[in-house]
């Protein structure tokens, strides 16, 4: 399986932001912060992880299916439909 | 876009079972049943709807991408990988 | 465990609308409709089921915890926080 | 709102493991690893984040509702039911 399309910078930045969010949660736990605030931050982390997942899946579908030289128009159309459906499922 | 692969009987049975589960929840609400029991049934409905979703996505990927006459081996491999990934996400 | 708070009409209407959505999906399957359209409708069903779940949980927390005669202010505050957190998780 | 119950060590360890998983994903992206493998690791991260969320919610409910001095038996019973329901929703 070929690799991700060229420049992963945006994906890497996303992962680093997620790590930063987790570091924030770690500090709050060490400081004995209120669990309500920690749960709010965990919910934000979950949203960020879903967006990362969505982008990775999009890249997989575009790079390995839609941009394949042999991909016919019906395959490309089905692939675009699938990306749209996944977008609504991985909010 | 072509239609679902031939025999939809299993999918239709799944939808009918889901309708039956919802009818059960409706009766419990009308009878003023305990909300804890209703929530347990709603959780079961959610699982059934996720399985229906997973099967529909599988059918879409198999029928419109993998079984397309023009689908190359790299496209088929990427499509199989995607189905596996979706399986873990739509538990 | 006491029952749901008085008037379940809104909850019952929600369940009936969900049943109607499923009937629509059933017809599309019987008619061999395009799986992309069916998947869009299934996504809408999933959203409706999540909202039903959220409302049931809210009712359980409000009726059985917050409105309990013995509920102290700290319990009510923790209960309100929990409802807010659940709202962001069950979108 | 009072803080989390005493010893957060287990929660902190969970967050640190999650950070380690994200560091793994970051390395795979920098190395141009296969997106299928990265998606598998992201799915594992998602499961770990859901478990962390579940444990935080449990702690919030137990510490701020069930273990409150004024909590009556009906409140404790409703709280236990809620924890059970949440367990099935945040798998």
């Amino acid at each position: 399986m070929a690799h991700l399309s060229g420049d992963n910078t945006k994906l890497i930045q996303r992962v680093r932001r997620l790590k930063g969010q987790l570091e924030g949660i770690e500090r709050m736990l060490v400081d004995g912060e209120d669990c309500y605030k920690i749960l709010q931050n965990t919910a934000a982390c979950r949203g960020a992880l879903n967006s990362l997942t969505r982008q990775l899946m999009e890249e997989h579908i575009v790079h390995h299916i839609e941009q394949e030289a042999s991909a016919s128009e019906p395959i490309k159309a089905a692939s675009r439909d699938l990306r749209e459906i996944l977008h609504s499922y991985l909010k």
Side-chain angles (χ1 to χ4, degrees), chain A:
Chain A
M1 186 66 52
H3 303 320
L4 279 168
S5 54
D7 176 15
N8 285 348
T9 325
K10 275 195 190 152
L11 284 166
I12 292 168
Q13 284 165 348
R14 262 201 154 142
V15 173
R16 285 179 184 153
R17 275 198 304 272
L18 244 167
K19 261 172 50 183
Q21 287 176 279
L22 279 174
E23 268 143 24
I25 289 171
E26 188 183 343
R27 264 194 313 278
M28 291 174 93
L29 285 168
V30 170
D31 298 345
E33 184 59 82
D34 181 278
C35 48
Y36 171 60
K37 285 183 191 152
I38 296 172
L39 273 163
Q40 285 180 311
N41 287 18
T42 318
C45 251
R46 199 165 174 248
L49 190 56
N50 273 346
S51 313
L52 174 67
T53 305
R54 220 174 35 230
Q55 190 180 345
L56 281 167
M57 278 193 192
E58 292 243 345
E59 293 249 349
H60 177 81
I61 295 170
V62 168
H63 183 75
H64 296 305
I65 297 176
E66 275 171 57
Q67 290 176 351
E68 262 289 311
S70 65
S72 63
E73 190 38 47
I75 283 178
K76 288 178 185 171
S79 180
R80 284 190 300 266
D81 282 349
L82 184 63
R83 282 197 286 127
E84 225 181 281
I85 292 287
L86 285 175
H87 205 88
S88 70
Y89 273 91
L90 286 169
K91 261 178 290 179

